[in-house]
C-alpha cells in the first residue's frame, strides 16, 4: 500500500491543508464508519469502481459516487465503502478557507456529499484523466497542485473574524461558549453566525461541538487507563449525561462501546456487523 501526505506551499496553502494519495488500500473489513471531524474533503477516485455511501441503519440503501465528489462538514457519522483495493487522492481544505475555490456559501455542502460535476465543469474530469496518466504519486500531486493554483481565487481569502473565531475554537474548545466567541468578535450574534456558516460550512455551535468531540477522541488515545469522568470534564462537558449524548450523536456508540469498535485510524471505525444500528 502507498500512503503519502503532502502539505502544499504558499499560495495554495491559503486554502488547502493537505493532499493525501493512497493506492492499494484493502482492509479486512468492507465498510467503515467515518466520524465528524469538522473537515471538508474533495475525493478523486482513481479506480473505475464507484464508492458507496450507505444509509446508517439499512445497508441495502446507498448512493454510489463515481469519479470525484466533495464531502461537506458532517453533523453525524456516515457509513462508506472501506476499500476493495482503493486508490484515491483526497484534498483536505483548511477550515474557513475553502471559499478560495468555491463561489457559493459553504453551508450548501453541510452534511452532504456532492458529485463534482454538479460544482465544477468537465475541466475537472479532464484533470482526473490527466492524473491517471501520471507515473507515480508525486507526479499526481504536482499535476493536482498546478490545476488547483489555476482555479483558486486568492481575493476570496478567509474572513478575518472567522479566522479569529476558528483559532479560538481550535485552541480552547473545552473552555469556550459561542457567546464568549461572538462577544470577542464585536459582531452581532446574527451577523457572526451568518459569516461563520458561509465560510466554514456549519454554525459556530455545531463546529464547536465537533471540536469538543475531537478533543475527546484524542484524549481516549492518550489516556491509560481511561477515566471517563476526567475526560468529560477536561473536554468541557458539564455532566456525564451530556457527554454520553454528544458522544452517541457523533459516533453512534456510547463511550464504552466505542473502545471495542475503534480501528487503527482516528475517526474511522471498522463496521463489524451489518446492518449497524445505533446503540
Amino acid at each position: 500500500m502507498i500512503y503519502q501526505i503532502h502539505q502544499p506551499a504558499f499560495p495554495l496553502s491559503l486554502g488547502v491543508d493537505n493532499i493525501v494519495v493512497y493506492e492499494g488500500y484493502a482492509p479486512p473489513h468492507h465498510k467503515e464508519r467515518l466520524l465528524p471531524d469538522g473537515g471538508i474533503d474533495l475525493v478523486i477516485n482513481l479506480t473505475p469502481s464507484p464508492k458507496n455511501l450507505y444509509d446508517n441503519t439499512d445497508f441495502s440503501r446507498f448512493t454510489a459516487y463515481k469519479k470525484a465528489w466533495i464531502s461537506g462538514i458532517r453533523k453525524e457519522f456516515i457509513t462508506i465503502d472501506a476499500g476493495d483495493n482503493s486508490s484515491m487522492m483526497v484534498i483536505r481544505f483548511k477550515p474557513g478557507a475553502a471559499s478560495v475555490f468555491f463561489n457559493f456559501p459553504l453551508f450548501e455542502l453541510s452534511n452532504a456529499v456532492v458529485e463534482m460535476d454538479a460544482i465544477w465543469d468537465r475541466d475537472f474530469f479532464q484533470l482526473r484523466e490527466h492524473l491517471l496518466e501520471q507515473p507515480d504519486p508525486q507526479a499526481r500531486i504536482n499535476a493536482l497542485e498546478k490545476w488547483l493554483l489555476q482555479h483558486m481565487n486568492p481575493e476570496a481569502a478567509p474572513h478575518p473574524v472567522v479566522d479569529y473565531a476558528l483559532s479560538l475554537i481550535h485552541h480552547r474548545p473545552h473552555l469556550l461558549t459561542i457567546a464568549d466567541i461572538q462577544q470577542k468578535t464585536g459582531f452581532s450574534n446574527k451577523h457572526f453566525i451568518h459569516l461563520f456558516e458561509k465560510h466554514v460550512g456549519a454554525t459556530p455551535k455545531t463546529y464547536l461541538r465537533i471540536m469538543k468531540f475531537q478533543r475527546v477522541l484524542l484524549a481516549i488515545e492518550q489516556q491509560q487507563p481511561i477515566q471517563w469522568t476526567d475526560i468529560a470534564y477536561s473536554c468541557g462537558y458539564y455532566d456525564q449525561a451530556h457527554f454520553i449524548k454528544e458522544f452517541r450523536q457523533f459516533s453512534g456508540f456510547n463511550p464504552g462501546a466505542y473502545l471495542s469498535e475503534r480501528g487503527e485510524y482516528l475517526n474511522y471505525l471498522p463496521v463489524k456487523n451489518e446492518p449497524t444500528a445505533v446503540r
Side-chain angles (χ1 to χ4, degrees):
M1 174 182 168
I2 296 173
Y3 184 85
Q4 185 173 342
I5 301 178
H6 172 76
Q7 293 183 314
F10 182 86
L12 196 56
S13 60
L14 287 173
V16 175
D17 188 23
N18 61 65
I19 298 172
V20 176
V21 182
Y22 64 86
E23 298 180 5
Y25 177 56
H29 51 278
H30 299 293
K31 297 178 179 65
E32 293 175 331
R33 179 172 293 192
L34 180 57
L35 307 184
D37 65 358
I40 296 176
D41 297 310
L42 195 164
V43 181
I44 304 171
N45 183 15
L46 300 177
T47 72
S49 301
K51 299 297 181 282
N52 297 328
L53 172 65
Y54 295 90
D55 182 283
N56 284 328
T57 58
D58 180 0
F59 289 173
S60 68
R61 298 168 56 190
F62 60 86
T63 302
Y65 294 87
K66 298 178 181 179
K67 296 180 179 180
W69 54 90
I70 188 166
S71 178
I73 289 181
R74 298 178 304 280
K75 302 175 185 178
E76 57 188 19
F77 64 88
I78 58 176
T79 305
I80 59 175
D81 281 327
D84 192 20
N85 209 30
S86 292
S87 295
M88 293 183 176
M89 299 186 76
V90 182
I91 303 167
R92 166 57 63 104
F93 296 103
K94 282 189 172 178
S99 55
V100 301
F101 298 101
F102 304 105
N103 60 357
F104 56 83
L106 291 179
F107 60 72
E108 293 184 7
L109 296 175
S110 178
N111 228 32
V113 179
V114 181
E115 294 267 17
M116 285 306 298
D117 60 1
I119 297 176
W120 283 334
D121 57 25
R122 289 188 55 82
D123 186 31
F124 185 79
F125 293 100
Q126 292 172 357
L127 163 68
R128 179 180 177 274
E129 297 305 313
H130 182 54
L131 294 175
L132 289 170
E133 295 169 355
Q134 302 308 304
D136 54 58
Q138 188 58 54
R140 287 176 174 170
I141 289 172
N142 294 343
L144 179 57
E145 282 199 311
K146 181 178 179 181
W147 191 93
L148 288 170
L149 282 169
Q150 293 171 347
H151 290 79
M152 70 181 296
N153 177 17
E155 294 182 1
H159 194 285
V161 167
V162 174
D163 251 5
Y164 174 65
L166 285 168
S167 177
L168 292 176
I169 292 173
H170 291 157
H171 285 93
R172 296 185 294 165
H174 57 304
L175 299 176
L176 294 169
T177 66
I178 296 305
D180 294 332
I181 300 169
Q182 177 260 317
Q183 289 173 8
K184 290 178 183 296
T185 68
F187 281 42
S188 70
N189 186 56
K190 183 177 180 180
H191 189 38
F192 170 60
I193 291 174
H194 171 74
L195 279 177
F196 198 95
E197 270 196 298
K198 177 181 178 181
H199 290 275
V200 178
T203 66
K205 180 179 180 180
T206 295
Y207 193 82
L208 179 60
R209 288 174 58 216
I210 293 171
M211 290 301 101
K212 288 171 67 173
F213 172 67
Q214 286 296 310
R215 186 178 176 88
V216 169
L217 296 185
L218 288 173
I220 290 172
E221 295 300 314
Q222 297 168 357
Q223 187 183 99
Q224 293 295 333
I226 292 173
Q227 302 293 332
W228 291 116
T229 301
D230 291 345
I231 288 178
Y233 179 75
S234 65
C235 292
Y237 297 93
Y238 53 80
D239 60 33
Q240 282 291 102
H242 179 219
F243 168 60
I244 293 171
K245 180 181 178 181
E246 287 287 278
F247 199 97
R248 291 186 64 170
Q249 168 70 33
F250 290 128
S251 74
F253 297 104
N254 64 48
Y258 168 83
L259 295 181
S260 63
E261 299 291 336
R262 61 180 171 167
E264 182 179 358
Y265 302 104
L266 196 66
N267 291 311
Y268 288 84
L269 302 180
V271 173
K272 301 174 182 177
N273 300 296
E274 300 186 18
T276 300
V278 174
R279 300 180 183 179

